[in-house]
Amino acid sequence: MDEKDSASLPPHDTALATAVTSTKPLNLVLCISSEYVSSYPVPPDLISASATAQATPITTTPSSTLTTPPPCLPVFANQDDPTHIRLLSRPLSNFQAIAMDEHSGWLQSVASDICGPQQPLGVLYRLDCEQPVAWTPVDPSDPLEAKIYEYKPSAPVQLCKISKRKYQSEAETGRTDSASSMTRNIESRDDSCWFCGHYQRVSSHIIPKRMGDAHARALVDEWCGMDSCQWSLYSAQLGILLCPNHAYPFVPYDEGLRHDPHQDSDWYTIHQFDPKRQTWQRSTYHQSPPVIVTEHGSRISTPNPTDPQSPPPGVLKWHYLQCVLKWFAHDDYLNLSHITWSQLPLRYDLYRSEDYDSDCEDSISHLQPSAVLDFGRFEEWCQEEEAARLESVARWVSTQVPYDTELEELPPPSVEVE
């Protein structure tokens, strides 16, 4: 790179020129300057259902000299960089499989949501490695590339907290009536699975029950701009009716609903974040006769959009962002202090139906603490019984004559002549 090319870069980018010309990132990387990010306060070790969710005002102010995105040299050198936070990073093909025809507009939209749903849309830049090296504003229609992107918000931000939905449990004791009421309201509203229309359904929570009512209300206020003071985790607006096949990936953030930017707010696109499921097909029981379609990328509409108890679009948008963070978040983001949601204490709820964060009518909260050992012994006994059954079948099969063995030819039947 000659002096003319280096002179065309901002002063803080001159150190980047030599490294960029010789090394290129293998992944698509989305960064943000740490000057724009304010940290969260220390949360309590455990929360209670009646705890008040408090928001901390953002005090960080951007630098007056930050007119263009600063360099991301440590990303190339694989070093820690205190001036930047890498938000997302994965192979380009993973991003393309999810963004589909939204292209760079999808990345800009996700970056904006990470910085807060109420923030104005910022500017997305791409670091072009061709000479002269420069930061180029990205148009939403530009195809995604395996390059470094930097999002520049219009104001200081607090990054979206991450919900690590690994273990499911009933949030409190004594909530059976609320859970049953929520299930009845959701079944009356939706009638069948949102995704496929199947009538074998599970009442599933969009927001994990262990986040608690106070955090759920704060989340609704932020993402929906609604007064949710009367809401709880058992409000029908925070639930969705799914069949078991779709509840299984939806609850742990492996499947999400992306609002279709070209349609009304009642239309969504199904995104399967697990690459193994992106080629799966399903039957659409909404139609008669059912039609086989590819799950990933298919479009669905809200079953009953006029019902006041339908989930607000902002809640589904928050759930979708949690899917993105689970599958694409970089360690820089995951390791930020206090970036995960606090949760209620875990209880001894062992039924497999709780894996869907659902409200099963059955409850084992009244059982003794040793119930976990009893269930373990029972599960071990079932496995032993199944192994013995399979061994017995194998022994029987080994004693049978193979079907291709030549059979002894029998004489033709005699015919009596009158």
Side-chain angles (χ1 to χ4, degrees):
M1 178 174 289
D2 55 27
E3 296 181 359
K4 180 179 179 181
D5 292 333
S6 299
S8 64
L9 295 173
H12 52 258
D13 278 347
T14 55
L16 182 64
T18 304
V20 172
T21 56
S22 58
T23 310
K24 294 184 179 181
L26 300 178
N27 295 347
L28 185 156
V29 181
L30 174 65
C31 303
I32 187 172
S33 172
S34 56
E35 293 188 3
Y36 281 97
V37 179
S38 177
S39 60
Y40 284 97
V42 179
D45 293 335
L46 294 175
I47 63 171
S48 62
S50 58
T52 302
Q54 298 179 350
T56 302
I58 299 173
T59 57
T60 303
T61 55
S63 171
S64 59
T65 61
L66 192 60
T67 56
T68 58
C72 295
L73 178 59
V75 176
F76 291 96
N78 195 24
Q79 302 171 357
D80 294 332
D81 179 11
T83 66
H84 280 82
I85 300 173
R86 286 167 283 185
L87 302 176
L88 308 178
S89 178
R90 282 297 184 273
L92 175 62
S93 58
N94 292 21
F95 282 95
Q96 291 174 329
I98 298 298
M100 293 186 283
D101 58 354
E102 290 190 61
H103 304 297
S104 294
W106 178 89
L107 188 62
Q108 184 179 19
S109 173
V110 168
S112 177
D113 290 341
I114 290 175
C115 294
Q118 306 301 329
Q119 290 286 339
L121 190 65
V123 182
L124 184 67
Y125 292 88
R126 179 183 62 245
L127 184 61
D128 290 325
C129 300
E130 294 77 11
Q131 297 186 11
V133 179
W135 290 97
T136 304
V138 177
D139 187 88
S141 61
D142 291 346
L144 292 173
E145 301 181 52
K147 296 183 178 181
I148 293 179
Y149 291 78
E150 181 164 334
Y151 183 74
K152 182 180 179 182
S154 57
V157 298
Q158 280 185 327
L159 302 180
C160 178
K161 282 194 171 186
I162 300 173
S163 170
K164 293 187 176 180
R165 204 171 191 171
K166 292 184 178 180
Y167 305 103
Q168 313 303 328
S169 69
E170 186 179 342
E172 296 180 0
T173 58
R175 298 296 292 269
T176 304
D177 292 341
S178 299
S180 300
S181 176
M182 177 185 186
T183 299
R184 288 193 299 270
N185 292 336
I186 292 178
E187 290 180 348
S188 175
R189 181 196 69 200
D190 296 341
D191 189 51
S192 61
C193 174
W194 272 45
F195 286 61
C196 65
H198 200 281
Y199 288 93
Q200 183 184 4
R201 60 273 179 103
V202 177
S203 175
S204 303
H205 287 254
I206 303 174
I207 300 175
K209 290 186 291 185
R210 291 187 63 205
M211 281 179 56
D213 291 337
H215 283 167
R217 284 192 287 266
L219 190 151
V220 172
D221 291 343
E222 179 184 7
W223 286 80
C224 305
M226 303 172 61
D227 183 8
S228 60
C229 60
Q230 302 299 323
W231 288 24
S232 75
L233 285 167
Y234 290 88
S235 297
Q237 293 91 333
L238 301 183
I240 184 174
L241 201 62
L242 300 172
C243 68
N245 287 338
H246 290 105
Y248 178 78
F250 181 85
V251 167
Y253 307 128
D254 294 332
E255 181 179 51
L257 293 174
R258 171 73 171 169
H259 174 244
D260 193 334
H262 306 296
Q263 299 290 338
D264 296 333
S265 59
D266 302 330
W267 282 90
Y268 296 88
T269 302
I270 299 175
H271 282 180
Q272 291 281 2
F273 286 82
D274 188 346
K276 297 178 181 178
R277 295 178 59 94
Q278 290 176 355
T279 57
W280 286 17
Q281 294 183 326
R282 63 174 173 85
S283 298
T284 56
Y285 295 94
H286 295 295
Q287 304 179 23
S288 182
V291 178
I292 304 298
V293 299
T294 301
E295 178 92 335
H296 180 61
S298 61
R299 294 169 58 248
I300 62 172
S301 62
T302 307
N304 196 353
T306 59
D307 193 309
Q309 291 189 332
S310 290
V315 174
L316 294 172
K317 188 177 184 180
W318 174 86
H319 178 276
Y320 180 85
L321 181 60
Q322 296 303 318
C323 297
V324 175
L325 297 181
K326 175 181 178 179
W327 286 89
F328 295 99
H330 191 276
D331 287 344
D332 286 358
Y333 190 176
L334 297 174
N335 294 332
L336 290 175
S337 299
H338 320 308
I339 198 62
T340 57
W341 285 98
S342 301
Q343 295 184 334
L344 293 167
L346 183 67
R347 289 180 55 248
Y348 287 109
D349 284 345
L350 307 176
Y351 277 165
R352 290 298 184 184
S353 59
E354 290 294 338
D355 290 344
Y356 303 141
D357 212 6
S358 62
D359 292 306
C360 181
E361 293 294 337
D362 300 323
S363 175
I364 64 171
S365 58
H366 62 282
L367 297 182
Q368 68 278 10
S370 63
V372 62
L373 300 177
D374 298 333
F375 277 103
R377 295 189 189 99
F378 178 75
E379 182 68 20
E380 183 179 2
W381 177 82
C382 291
Q383 293 178 3
E384 292 176 353
E385 286 290 307
E386 179 67 10
R389 187 187 67 84
L390 293 176
E391 183 180 356
S392 177
V393 172
R395 286 198 304 268
W396 177 83
V397 170
S398 64
T399 61
Q400 303 305 303
V401 179
Y403 71 92
D404 57 349
T405 301
E406 295 183 2
L407 299 178
E408 182 180 354
E409 185 177 354
L410 299 177
S414 58
V415 181
E416 295 184 0
V417 180
E418 296 182 356

